[in-house]
Amino acid sequence: MRGLQTVCLVAVPLLLFASIGQAQNLTTAQAKAHVGESATVCGKVAGERTATSSKGEPTFINLDAAYPNQIFTILVWGDDRKNVGELPHVGVRVCASGMIQDYKGVPEIVVKNKDQLSQ
């Protein structure tokens, strides 16, 4: 019986820690309520634009609604494009994982490598 108690004392905290450490899966509409949290946000690409004349050449991938009515944005800086690889195109369902930030009232995740994107 003592062995079972020891196993429980070790296993229960590990399971709790593992569940807390996992990112949440959210819709684009839910993301706004989770700014500052690490999560996975999924939606359909509604628009994509690379600002080639802007500092850092950011690419904005808007999910579920196109600019200027975007609900959620995936941001990929020009320097990170080589680490991200091919970007998702309009009409494709995509998920981005990372820290949700707020930019002028719109939640976004900055993607720095291909492991942060999935379809």
Side-chain angles (χ1 to χ4, degrees), residues 51-94:
T52 55
S53 60
S54 295
K55 183 178 180 182
E57 292 191 17
T59 297
F60 305 96
I61 303 167
N62 296 311
L63 303 185
D64 292 338
Y67 178 86
N69 301 310
Q70 70 272 30
I71 299 169
F72 181 85
T73 301
I74 298 170
L75 171 61
V76 181
W77 290 104
D79 287 345
D80 295 323
R81 288 286 300 265
K82 63 185 174 297
N83 298 325
V84 174
E86 186 176 350
L87 298 176
H89 302 287
V90 172
V92 173
R93 181 170 165 74
V94 66

Side-chain angles (χ1 to χ4, degrees), residues 20-35:
I20 291 169
Q22 291 178 348
Q24 302 177 58
N25 288 319
L26 305 172
T27 66
T28 57
Q30 293 170 324
K32 194 169 197 163
H34 295 273
V35 170

Side-chain angles (χ1 to χ4, degrees), residues 14-26 34 37-40 97-98:
L14 286 175
L15 289 172
L16 287 173
F17 180 75
S19 66
I20 291 169
Q22 291 178 348
Q24 302 177 58
N25 288 319
L26 305 172
H34 295 273
E37 298 176 23
S38 183
T40 297
S97 299

